[in-house]
Amino acid sequence: LIATLIQIESCGNAQAVSGAGAQGLFQVVPSNFAAGENPFDPETNAHTALTLFGQALAGANGDIGLAFAAYNGGPSIFTMSPREWPKETQTYQYWGSGITDDAERNLSSSPSLQEWLDAGGSDLCNSAHQALGLP
């Protein structure tokens, strides 16, 4: 779960910032941090993000797909039909669930991850590689 969250949020770039202002490895919205916390510190970002994901998982009664949707779209999605979720949340739930399911099935390669990469995830990873100074 943690690896999937990092993958689809930042592709491992602890300095990532989204167009909506989410920050760090797990792309946490700044309002979720306490005053003085550094959202780009991996440990701080992970602690905040995993607390939020844990709350989403609890609210989803252990349903991983629903927890991914709530992590992306907020807890209000619990009161909505999936058809009413924003398109971004529907897509996020699809990728998160698929990649996690492939990992849980111990596949040697992940068709869902490859589909995510082909659908634009590779752009995020290329940006992360450049930002991190990787070859």
Side-chain angles (χ1 to χ4, degrees):
L1 287 174
I2 294 169
T4 299
L5 280 171
I6 291 173
Q7 180 73 43
I8 62 180
E9 288 292 351
S10 71
C11 219
N13 181 3
Q15 300 303 310
V17 178
S18 75
Q23 302 170 328
L25 283 175
F26 293 89
Q27 292 294 279
V28 179
V29 176
S31 63
N32 288 297
F33 295 101
E37 284 187 313
N38 178 1
F40 297 105
D41 172 65
E43 187 174 326
T44 300
N45 194 272
H47 180 267
T48 302
L50 297 177
T51 297
L52 293 169
F53 193 82
Q55 292 168 350
L57 195 56
N61 294 318
D63 182 319
I64 291 171
L66 190 54
F68 273 110
Y71 184 81
N72 175 265
S76 65
I77 65 98
F78 293 135
T79 63
M80 302 164 65
S81 162
R83 291 183 300 271
E84 298 173 308
W85 297 346
K87 181 67 175 161
E88 176 186 335
T89 300
Q90 292 177 22
T91 303
Y92 191 91
Q93 184 272 337
Y94 175 78
W95 298 130
S97 297
I99 295 167
T100 300
D101 184 56
D102 289 351
E104 288 177 347
R105 294 186 307 154
N106 291 318
L107 299 179
S108 59
S109 65
S110 169
S112 297
L113 177 59
Q114 187 59 56
E115 186 181 357
W116 175 79
L117 289 166
D118 293 343
S122 61
D123 292 339
L124 176 64
C125 290
N126 288 335
S127 294
H129 281 124
Q130 288 178 339
L132 297 169
L134 299 174

